[in-house]
Amino acid sequence: SAILSSYFLNEKLNIHGKLGCILSILGSTVMVIHAPEEEEVTSLDEMERKLQDPAFVTFAVLLTVVALVLIVVVAPKRGQTNILIYVLICSLIGAFSVSSVKGLGIAIKQMLERKPVYGHPLVYILVGILVLSVSTQINYLNKALDMFNTSLVTPIYYVCFTTTVVTCSIILFKEWSSMELGDIIGTLSGFGSIIIGIFLLHAFKNTNITWSQLMSTVAKEPSLPHLEFETSHTLLESVEDPALACED
């Protein structure tokens, strides 16, 4: 999306931004390769027990409080100048939307198996949470796209949203307990690559360096030592030749 916006929306994406996108994609790929297998949940009763886990309840309350502070206090003051405000609101709320979709997917599966799910209160709670969270995400994502460059909003939102969802999934399904050391290192390495990619994308957004300029600079550098070598060699020859030295 960031790359296509530079072509179709005439938004600038310099070489740092392109490298940042590549690093983010590679980091995400590494994280997916080393991601743990989530615990299979086959019924709404199991999903309800997991949603009532104290660790997940604490995480959900913390996300809600931070999101409300950003919406009520921070966004009216700094939302139009700081790209992370609106993006963080969408990302934090995204954890609730993904969890709701997970639960509703289980409900639909049970419904296709002709199991009675209409009377389960969790279904209607998940539908309400999904509608509220998705509408909030759309609202603040549109605000971010109106205020800031699409080539910046999209990858930053992608990384923040993915990070929040992965964290939520780890807490909800206890995925880290079954991971080996190599997978943990791979996951953290992929996450580090994503962070570096987003830093390149955001920190150097106003730097106008093109690939042709970079290659021309590299092409000119090898010739400088050669000229210095020729000049020094010529001076040495002049010093060794007494006649030339007198003329000089």
Side-chain angles (χ1 to χ4, degrees):
S1 178
I3 295 174
L4 291 176
S5 64
S6 65
Y7 290 99
F8 295 104
L9 302 179
N10 296 323
E11 295 180 353
K12 293 183 179 180
L13 185 65
N14 55 24
I15 187 172
H16 295 89
K18 294 177 181 178
L19 290 175
C21 291
I22 293 174
L23 281 175
S24 298
I25 294 173
L26 292 177
S28 301
T29 304
V30 172
M31 287 189 68
V32 170
I33 292 174
H34 294 279
E37 295 182 1
E38 67 178 30
E39 183 180 348
E40 185 177 1
V41 180
T42 57
S43 66
L44 287 175
D45 293 331
E46 293 181 15
M47 187 68 182
E48 184 178 2
R49 286 194 294 269
K50 290 190 174 296
L51 291 175
Q52 293 176 352
D53 184 78
F56 179 76
V57 172
T58 304
F59 177 73
V61 171
L62 181 62
L63 284 187
T64 304
V65 171
V66 175
L68 289 176
V69 170
L70 289 175
I71 292 172
V72 177
V73 179
V74 182
K77 297 179 180 179
R78 300 183 180 181
Q80 297 181 352
T81 57
N82 193 329
I83 189 174
L84 289 177
I85 303 302
Y86 292 148
V87 171
L88 283 177
I89 293 173
C90 297
S91 302
L92 295 177
I93 299 299
F96 297 108
S97 63
V98 172
S99 301
S100 302
V101 169
K102 176 72 174 180
L104 291 175
I106 296 172
I108 293 173
K109 182 180 179 181
Q110 287 188 297
M111 183 179 65
L112 295 176
E113 295 174 353
R114 301 184 183 278
K115 294 181 179 180
V117 297
Y118 300 102
H120 204 297
L122 182 62
V123 176
Y124 304 99
I125 294 175
L126 293 177
V127 171
I129 294 175
L130 181 61
V131 172
L132 181 61
S133 59
V134 169
S135 59
T136 304
Q137 286 179 261
I138 293 174
N139 179 34
Y140 284 98
L141 183 59
N142 284 332
K143 288 184 177 181
L145 292 173
D146 289 338
M147 297 300 302
F148 303 101
N149 198 311
T150 306
S151 60
L152 290 176
V153 173
T154 305
I156 294 176
Y157 173 60
Y158 164 72
V159 172
C160 294
F161 177 81
T162 304
T163 304
T164 306
V165 171
V166 168
T167 305
C168 177
S169 181
I170 289 172
I171 296 174
L172 185 61
F173 298 105
K174 306 292 189 300
E175 295 173 343
W176 285 88
S177 59
S178 61
M179 290 183 67
E180 298 180 356
L181 179 61
D183 292 329
I184 295 176
I185 294 175
T187 301
L188 295 178
S189 299
F191 183 73
S193 299
I194 293 174
I195 296 299
I196 294 173
I198 292 303
F199 174 78
L200 288 175
L201 182 68
H202 187 62
F204 299 98
K205 61 182 179 180
N206 295 324
T207 304
N208 295 322
I209 298 178
T210 61
W211 181 257
S212 58
Q213 291 175 341
L214 184 62
M215 294 305 296
S216 63
T217 303
V218 174
K220 291 178 181 178
E221 287 180 354
S223 61
L224 295 177
H226 182 64
L227 292 174
E228 292 176 0
F229 175 77
E230 289 183 349
T231 305
S232 302
H233 186 67
T234 305
L235 288 175
L236 287 174
E237 287 183 346
S238 300
V239 172
E240 291 175 358
D241 192 342
L244 294 175
C246 293
E247 290 178 2
D248 292 338

